[in-house]
Each structure stands twice: as structure tokens, then as C-alpha cells.
Amino acid sequence: MSAYLMLRKGLLPAAARASTLQRLLSTTSSEHGGPLRVVKKHVQCELKGDVAVVRLNSPGSKVNVLSEEFSKELIEVMNEVIASPHAKSAVLISGKPDCFIAGADISWLDSANSIDQLKSISTSGQAMIQKLQDSAKPVVAAINGSCLGGGLEVALGCHYRLAMKDPKTFVGLPEVLLGLLPGAGGTQRLPKLIGLPEALDIALTGKNVKADKAKKLGLVDQLVEPLGPGVKPAQERNMEYLEEVAIRTASGLASGAVPPPSREYKWTNLRGIKFHLTTNQKYVREYVLKQARGMVMKQTNGLYPAPLKILEVMQKGIVEGPVAGYEAEANGFAELGMSSESKALRSLFFGQTECKKNRFGKPAKPVKNLAVLGAGLMGAGIVQVSLQKDYNVIMKDTKQDGLSRGYGQVYKGFNDRVKKRAMTSFDRDRVMSKLSPQLDYQSFNSVDMVIEAVFEDLKVKHKVLQEVEAVVPENCIFASNTSALPITQIASASKRPSQVVGMHYFSPVEKMPLLEIITTAQTSKETAAAAVDVGLKQGKTVIVVKDGPGFYTTRILAPMLSECIRLLQEGLGPQNLDKYSKAFGFPVGMATLADEVGIDVAYHVATDLSKTFGARLGGSDVNVLKDMVSSGFLGRKSGKGCYVYSGRKGKDKSVNKDAEAIVQNYRISIKGSHDIEEVQMRLVARFVNEAILCLQEGVLSNPVDGDIGAVFGLGFPPFRGGPFRFVDSYGASNLLSRILRYREVYGNHFEPAPLLQDYAKDPSKKFHSNGLSILCGDGGYGHDAARDTKRRRNIILHVRFVLRRPRTELR
């Protein structure tokens, strides 16, 4: 057997692999006995019959990403295939079972220092894929797993596309949600292939399209049904079968036995009529573009430039032709790549990479059996995300009706997934069988972790902690889902304080990606490792902070809400407060946010935190909240808060005149201005200043966690990258000047953090020193391979989610 085959089949000893690979790199057919065989680092090629099988297989990673080196190798291999007289056709297939190509390597983009360099990356990608399309030999893309971004663009350049009909197979163009546009021909080929409306839907939303839907749209020409397990594991057999089908198809295309797929849209059927009217007919096309632009502006307030640029570039290609279209695409890609918005969104991607690692290491005893105390909104949400990852879960409540509601919420969550075909009814029932709803502590003697989601009262939490410790094993971890009560105080009632930790989830738990884990001075490393491990398995982006009143997220939110109350006292009005804060980029206005959080919860948190932070949480009168609570104005949950909620599910709202009358009782004069920028910066300055204090005091271990927590937990505008990236872009000295002016005008609650003052003195000091992240120097989609696709998916889901109406709950 040749060294090449031994290497491919993994038969060489570890010591010999590196030297053999080095010897084979860039060698061609004559050196190892075949008419066409090429072995490079990322791309290998061998001839099977008269079909060149080009295998994409980056070493040491579970995904393929388009790096500069990868792209260069693919071009070189395809040049050999095109030149070889032995190869009549080619197949592009991945050596990864769950990934065709996951997209471009972000670190390649980040290495570019100018618009010209980014444009060169785009034009080289366009040329590589045009090489595939112009080949006289048919090229078949055999897609399995994720085929995203540049991966889909590569597939679009092939003459025929096969896809494995598997839940893990999906295609998409998610660049928009990293502040970019598809830069390797995607904006030009996609509308011509499937029509303008469908192309816009994919490119503007960044959504994933499953294999069967891709077939209906015309993105894929043929679906390959997966095989069950046999002599070989199902996954391995399916990969082999996909390759067999692709080889037969490629050979048939070359010989004429398989007709090439028809890309022609005819006026004789509805699909063809729709395509021609919406893509080629001027007036209907302009209407489609106008509607799309209106939807973009409605969802983004014009704050995200990428979707608008995608509209412009697609229109350019359709109206003025491919030369103008590809040029516009390359220019647009370069402009967006250098924009602050894209850099911020890419920074979040890298930040999430760090937050998907367990800095405490793998726990010695991983958690298998969970118990959740409380079957309310939060408790049921925690149960759902735990069951989804195959934990055995006990859900305990004190009342049967509460337990029934919680069980119903969990079932509905999974049943909704069945309706969306995200899971089967069999899987739903299998997952639900792992749930044990109960009113007592039966079977708690076998649980590894208990997560309490009971009422936010220290006495109640002490009571359940002591009850739990009486029935659980000695090594069981107790986690509190509290948003503000110090974990040290909760742990004071424990016999084993080293096994007490905070796990602060955000509502709705199944949608909000953040988990804030809080450790005390007594929390053991094993406890922290187990808590992070559970959070990561639940699919959460995890930040770890030190204990203290309000921890990180609640603490930085509180001063901003205090400033909101002051602005209301000055007579700004809830509608203007919402308008101005949304114009800054927050997904929901601040008055609406207070109603979502709950006026009673805001009052409770403000009262508690004021005892610790004093004047820093001042500036407004907390009695405004107290009187609103006394009047029953608790926010959305009671139907009245800053607004009165009516209609179906409270979707209609109007200003609560009675609440305004309460605010009038505490009216204060306006000392400054209510100009939009002034209002925005008063809010943001308090938010950001408190975040910097958290870093200075060691509540945060690094600015990356601070940015991730603010964006993914509280909805800080993603395109601004988080409070620390905002300081870097706005300028520490500029922010300090504002805060000092505000202190002079409004009072000592605008007291600048010493760390901010330090950074303001030295312009070279940045929280993100390399322009992206001080912690992330080895990026790229392939970096944390096991979670690469999911990590990007989380960012996509979150950015899309915060552009709607998230709910943040402090309980």
C-alpha cells in the first residue's frame, strides 16, 4: 500500500505522519503512481475512473474554512484537474463528516489593514470560483453538513450540487450578521439562480437553509438520502455513499448520460413568471427592492450598513451586468470590512470563542443529573435547555398548578420545534421522558447539581438551600439563579459553601444566549468547572464574574435605569426615552425595558444596590418606582407600567397617564439639554463607566467578558461591540470629558472610574489592543473546531434576536 493511502486511512504511526505528509505535500501523480494525484495541506485529489475527486480536508480541525492558504491550494489543484487529460470531470467533497466549508477564516480578513487589501481578498475569491464555473469539465459539489458563506459561494460556482438530506446539512450566507456581504460572487450568482426575492431573504437575514428547502429553491440540484448503519458506522457509510453518487453524477455529466440541470426560467409556469417579474422586470423589481429596504430600515434603524450595501450590490449586478456587479461586490466587501460595525461584530465572534471555553478545565465529575427548583418562567426555561442536551432533570415546585404550567411550557417549547421541523415528535417524546416533575424531594439523593429559580428573597433562598442539603449527596453542587443577591450571602446558610455558585440566566432562557456564572472566594475550582461545563452543554455563552451586589450585568444596568428615571422626572416622556435609546442601537427602548424587567423588580434591585453603591446609583428618586408599585403599575406583566398594554398579548401600548402623574410629583428642572445625543450619552456614560469599574475592581477578569455580557445579556448594540469596544472607538478622553461635564451639571453620580481616567491620559491604551480582542489572537472559524459552526450560529441568532424585542428579566 502506498504511503499516500496509508496516510489517508490513518495507518501510519504518529511519529511518521508529519514527515510523510511533508514529503507528499505538493507532489503530483508521477511521484506516487497514478495519472492524477495531488496531496496538499488542505486539499487532496485522486482519480477514480475518469473523475477527479478533490477532497477538502484541513488538518487538525473539524471544519474547513477558506483561508488564504486553503484558497491557493484549491486553485492549484483545480488547475491540475483542468489540465489533466485523464480527468473528464471533478467532484468537490469534504473530508469532514459535518462540514463542507463553514465560511471564510475571519483572521484572514482581520489581517488586512486597508480597503485595497480587503478588495484583493474579494477579487481573488471571485477569480477562484469563476475558475470552477468556466471549467469545460463538469464540477460537482457534494455537500454534507454546514455549507456557509464562502462555502456556499464555492458550491454556487460548480455546475451541479448534491446535498445529503440530513438535519446537519444546511446552506446559507451569514456574512451580513458579521457586518459583511458575500464577497466571492454570492451577491451576483444567487439572484440569477433563485430570483431576487429569495436571494434577498437569504442574504439579508443570514439564515440557514436546510437541504430539502435548498432543493425547492434551486440551490441544490439533487438530494441524497442517508443510509442507516451497517458494517460501518452510519456517518462513515453516508460519506462514502455521497461520494459514490457524486462520482456517478460527474461521470454522467461528462459523458452526457446525465443531462445538465436546467437553469432556465420560462414564462409558461408560475415559478418562471415570478422570477422574470421580480428579477428582470424593472418596475416589479424596484418594488421588491423598495419593500426590502423598508424592512431593513425598520429592523435596523439604518444602523447596520451591510444589509443596505447588499441591496445596492445585488441591484447593480442585475441592472448593469456582471462586470459592474462583481466590481461593486468587491468594493462593498472592502468598505464593510473596514467599517467599525463589522469590526465590532467580528470582535463579538472572537469574544464568544473565548466564552465557549472552560477556563477552569474539565470537571473531574461531570454533571449528569440535574434538579431545578421552581417551575416558573425561568425554571421551566432552564429545564428546557437542559433536557435539550440530554440531561436527566427533576423539576420541583411547591404547588401542583405551578408544576403543571411549567411542564406545559417545556412541552410547548419542544412541540414548537417539532412544528418547525427542528426535531421529530419521537425526539420530543424521548427528551420529555427524561423530565421528572414533582412536589417533593424524592430522588434528590442522586442529583449532581441543583439550580434554584425561586423568588428573589434571601430568606427563601436560605430555606431551600438548607432543605436541599439535607437530601442531596455531599458532592452535589447548589447553583442560584439570582440576578442581584450576593452569592456569598446565599452561601452563608450552607454547610458546604465551596459547592455554592451563582448561575444567572436571562429570560427567555431558551432564546437568550448568555449565562453569567458568579464565583465567591469560597467557591472551589471543581464547582466552577462543573457550572461552566453545564452552561456550555446547554448551549450558552458563558462569562464568569466575581461575587458582589448585582454581579456584572445587573450592576451596570442599574445606573442607566436610574438615569432613565431622572430623565422622566425632567419631563422627557417615555416615548422620547424609547425613541432616543433605540436610535443609539438598543433593541428596545429604555422605558419599555423597565416595563419588561418589571417595575417592582427594578425597585427591589435599586433599593438593594443603593445600600452598597450609594450616590453612584443616585441622580433620580427611587420613590417614583415605589409609588408606581404601590399603584399596581408593575410593567407588562400587570398590564400597566410606563405604558398601558392592551390588545392581543398586550401588543398595543399607550402612555400610562396615571404613571406620568406619579412622575410629575417628583418633577425636577432640566439642567442640561434633551437633545438626542445628550440623552443617549447620559445613559451610555453611566452604563459604560460602571462596566469599567467592574473591570477595575476585579468583578470582571477581562474586557471581553464585559462586552459579551453587555451585548448578549442586556442588548447593548451589537454593532458597537460592547462597552469596552465602545470606549476604544469613542475615545477614553472624549468619554471622560463628557462624564466630567455631566458631573458638574447633574451631580456626583457621574463620577468617572479611575481606570477610565488612566486610559484617557494615554491614547495608546486600548481595552482591545489589536483592534479585535486582547484575548483572541488565533481566530478563524476553524479555531475551536468542535463548536465553530454553532458559535457563529449563536451570534447570528442573537443579532437577529436583538433587532426584535428581547425580554430581559432581573429575576
Side-chain angles (χ1 to χ4, degrees):
M1 185 179 292
S2 70
Y4 168 76
L5 288 177
M6 291 178 71
L7 178 66
R8 187 183 156 199
K9 291 177 178 293
L11 299 178
L12 287 176
R17 288 175 196 160
S19 60
T20 304
L21 178 62
Q22 184 64 34
R23 179 166 56 84
L24 289 173
L25 279 178
S26 299
T27 62
T28 57
S29 54
S30 60
E31 297 181 61
H32 36 79
L36 176 65
R37 180 170 290 157
V38 185
V39 182
K40 294 182 179 292
K41 182 178 178 181
H42 302 279
V43 184
Q44 300 86 45
C45 176
E46 60 181 316
L47 201 64
K48 293 192 174 183
D50 59 0
V51 178
V53 177
V54 179
R55 203 173 309 279
L56 315 173
N57 199 7
S58 293
S61 173
K62 290 187 178 179
V63 296
N64 294 313
V65 294
L66 289 173
S67 63
E68 184 175 15
E69 185 179 39
F70 187 109
S71 301
K72 181 182 177 183
E73 289 184 8
L74 182 56
I75 291 173
E76 291 172 351
V77 170
M78 288 308 302
N79 283 338
E80 292 215 31
V81 170
I82 292 169
S84 172
H86 303 286
K88 305 301 181 186
S89 59
V91 167
L92 289 188
I93 190 167
S94 173
K96 314 293 183 185
D98 294 325
C99 174
F100 181 70
I101 300 175
D105 185 345
I106 295 181
S107 61
W108 183 20
L109 308 183
D110 294 336
S111 67
N113 298 315
S114 67
I115 284 182
D116 288 342
Q117 289 179 346
L118 278 171
K119 183 176 179 180
S120 176
I121 291 174
S122 176
T123 54
S124 66
Q126 291 174 348
M128 175 184 72
I129 296 168
Q130 192 64 44
K131 187 89 174 178
L132 295 175
Q133 184 173 313
D134 291 344
S135 169
K137 299 176 180 180
V139 181
V140 174
I143 301 169
N144 58 291
S146 55
C147 177
L148 299 171
L152 178 57
E153 290 176 298
V154 168
L156 290 175
C158 296
H159 304 103
Y160 197 96
R161 288 171 290 280
L162 296 167
M164 182 65 72
K165 189 178 179 181
D166 183 274
K168 292 183 179 179
T169 298
F170 50 84
V171 302
L173 295 173
E175 288 89 347
V176 65
L177 294 165
L178 292 179
L180 299 166
L181 56 73
T187 64
Q188 304 305 299
R189 289 188 176 90
L190 196 63
K192 292 179 181 179
L193 179 66
I194 63 174
L196 181 61
E198 286 76 11
L200 289 173
D201 185 42
I202 291 172
L204 293 178
T205 64
K207 69 181 182 181
N208 292 339
V209 180
K210 293 182 180 180
D212 52 353
K213 177 67 172 178
K215 174 67 168 63
K216 291 178 182 177
L217 288 174
L219 282 168
V220 167
D221 299 303
Q222 181 182 340
L223 296 178
V224 178
E225 293 286 344
L227 303 176
V231 177
K232 296 180 180 179
Q235 188 178 65
E236 182 180 348
R237 182 66 188 112
N238 283 333
M239 289 292 292
E240 292 178 351
Y241 181 52
L242 177 63
E243 183 174 324
E244 292 167 10
V245 174
I247 289 172
R248 287 200 303 269
T249 303
S251 181
L253 287 168
S255 67
V258 175
S262 174
R263 310 290 187 205
E264 183 182 358
Y265 286 90
K266 298 180 179 179
W267 282 96
T268 54
N269 57 63
L270 287 176
R271 188 180 180 193
I273 292 170
K274 178 185 176 183
F275 177 90
H276 286 294
L277 287 177
T278 59
T279 307
N280 296 330
Q281 208 280 334
K282 177 182 177 182
Y283 297 107
V284 179
R285 180 179 65 237
E286 287 181 351
Y287 175 78
V288 169
L289 290 166
K290 179 181 178 182
Q291 290 295 105
R293 189 171 287 106
M295 185 62 69
V296 166
M297 293 301 294
K298 181 179 179 180
Q299 289 193 328
T300 69
N301 290 322
L303 298 172
Y304 292 77
L308 295 173
K309 183 62 70 173
I310 288 172
L311 285 166
E312 175 189 321
V313 168
M314 279 195 182
Q315 182 177 19
K316 189 91 169 177
I318 293 171
V319 174
E320 298 184 25
V323 174
Y326 281 104
E327 177 70 13
E329 180 185 82
N331 288 331
F333 179 83
E335 291 169 15
L336 291 172
M338 292 301 293
S339 69
S340 61
E341 293 87 354
S342 178
K343 289 179 179 179
L345 291 169
R346 280 143 50 196
S347 173
L348 290 176
F349 177 88
F350 281 107
Q352 212 182 20
T353 300
E354 294 303 310
C355 293
K356 286 292 183 181
K357 299 175 182 177
N358 193 336
R359 67 187 68 174
F360 301 100
K362 187 176 180 180
K365 187 178 183 296
V367 172
K368 295 181 180 178
N369 302 309
L370 275 171
V372 177
L373 303 181
L377 184 67
M378 293 295 291
I382 296 168
V383 168
Q384 181 177 331
V385 297
S386 302
L387 288 172
Q388 208 161 296
K389 300 303 177 180
D390 278 339
Y391 282 108
N392 300 308
V393 183
I394 295 172
M395 179 169 63
K396 181 190 178 300
D397 203 274
T398 57
K399 296 180 180 178
Q400 183 61 53
D401 58 345
L403 195 63
S404 298
R405 280 195 302 271
Y407 185 91
Q409 179 185 326
V410 175
Y411 182 86
K412 182 179 183 300
F414 288 124
N415 202 46
D416 287 346
R417 288 174 57 81
V418 173
K419 292 177 181 178
K420 295 174 183 177
R421 296 194 295 175
M423 71 187 306
T424 65
S425 58
F426 175 83
D427 286 333
R428 175 201 62 203
D429 296 340
R430 179 187 61 80
V431 167
M432 288 299 294
S433 71
K434 290 178 173 287
L435 174 60
S436 175
Q438 57 193 60
L439 298 172
D440 54 27
Y441 287 105
Q442 184 180 354
S443 300
F444 269 62
N445 60 353
S446 63
V447 300
D448 304 308
M449 175 183 282
V450 175
I451 303 175
E452 67 82 5
V454 300
F455 188 69
E456 194 81 338
D457 181 274
L458 188 59
K459 291 181 180 178
V460 174
K461 293 186 185 291
H462 279 171
K463 180 175 180 292
V464 297
L465 170 56
Q466 290 166 348
E467 289 176 354
V468 164
E469 287 190 335
V471 294
V472 297
E474 285 195 1
N475 60 355
C476 180
I477 294 167
F478 184 88
S480 176
N481 174 47
T482 175
S483 61
L485 294 176
I487 303 302
T488 303
Q489 291 183 18
I490 294 173
S492 66
S494 173
K495 294 183 291 185
R496 300 182 286 272
S498 65
Q499 292 164 217
V500 178
V501 68
M503 294 180 73
H504 178 202
Y505 294 85
F506 294 77
S507 181
V509 178
E510 65 276 11
K511 291 182 179 179
M512 295 296 279
L514 188 72
L515 172 61
E516 183 180 29
I517 288 180
I518 306 100
T519 61
T520 72
Q522 293 178 292
T523 303
S524 69
K525 180 181 177 182
E526 174 65 17
T527 297
V532 173
D533 188 60
V534 168
L536 293 177
K537 286 180 179 175
Q538 290 172 334
K540 297 299 179 182
T541 297
V542 178
I543 64 170
V544 181
V545 302
K546 291 289 180 64
D547 188 29
F551 320 129
Y552 171 65
T553 53
T554 303
R555 176 175 164 180
I556 65 174
L557 182 62
M560 185 167 68
L561 288 178
S562 175
E563 197 64 21
C564 290
I565 297 168
R566 182 184 177 95
L567 285 163
L568 293 175
Q569 289 180 254
E570 292 176 3
L572 180 65
Q575 290 178 317
N576 279 333
L577 181 58
D578 276 355
K579 178 182 176 181
Y580 293 174
S581 49
K582 287 184 70 175
F584 183 79
F586 283 98
V588 61
M590 290 297 111
T592 300
L593 177 65
D595 279 357
E596 296 285 0
V597 168
I599 304 298
D600 55 335
V601 176
Y603 171 63
H604 174 75
V605 170
T607 303
D608 283 352
L609 294 186
S610 294
K611 295 174 184 175
T612 302
F613 299 115
R616 209 161 69 239
L617 286 189
S620 63
D621 196 325
V622 75
N623 286 312
V624 171
L625 297 177
K626 182 180 180 181
D627 290 359
M628 288 180 70
V629 172
S630 298
S631 300
F633 303 151
L634 307 184
R636 177 180 284 273
K637 60 189 173 187
S638 68
K640 291 184 179 180
C642 296
Y643 294 97
V644 176
Y645 298 88
S646 59
R648 186 172 177 267
K649 295 184 178 180
K651 288 186 177 181
D652 299 324
K653 67 180 184 181
S654 57
V655 173
N656 185 353
K657 300 298 183 181
D658 293 331
E660 281 195 326
I662 291 173
V663 174
Q664 284 295 322
N665 294 334
Y666 298 94
R667 181 69 186 263
I668 56 178
S669 59
I670 302 173
K671 293 184 179 180
S673 160
H674 279 177
D675 291 343
I676 182 169
E677 185 183 4
E678 186 81 353
V679 170
Q680 290 172 341
M681 290 307 300
R682 281 172 63 179
L683 297 174
V684 173
R686 294 194 69 178
F687 184 97
V688 171
N689 190 59
E690 199 66 34
I692 296 172
L693 280 166
C694 286
L695 181 64
Q696 177 184 312
E697 295 169 8
V699 173
L700 288 172
S701 61
N702 59 74
V704 174
D705 281 0
D707 284 343
I708 292 293
V711 171
F712 287 82
L714 302 175
F716 191 88
F719 73 92
R720 298 188 187 275
F724 295 98
R725 174 160 289 280
F726 173 76
V727 175
D728 285 347
S729 60
Y730 187 77
S733 60
N734 293 333
L735 181 61
L736 177 63
S737 297
R738 274 196 179 266
I739 291 177
L740 291 175
R741 178 165 64 84
Y742 291 158
R743 183 179 66 180
E744 186 175 335
V745 174
Y746 301 110
N748 289 336
H749 52 283
F750 282 102
E751 182 64 37
L755 185 61
L756 174 62
Q757 298 178 59
D758 181 48
Y759 273 54
K761 293 175 186 175
D762 185 355
S764 68
K765 285 187 174 181
K766 300 287 184 182
F767 290 109
H768 298 275
S769 59
N770 69 352
L772 278 177
S773 169
I774 61 173
L775 293 181
C776 309
D778 56 348
Y781 296 155
H783 164 59
D784 185 9
R787 297 189 175 100
D788 287 327
T789 303
K790 175 156 190 176
R791 186 171 66 249
R792 182 170 64 176
R793 174 76 173 151
N794 281 346
I795 287 212
I796 292 168
L797 287 172
H798 180 68
V799 174
R800 190 181 306 138
F801 183 61
V802 298
L803 291 178
R804 295 172 185 168
R805 184 184 60 82
R807 293 184 60 196
T808 303
E809 226 180 62
L810 292 179
R811 283 193 65 243

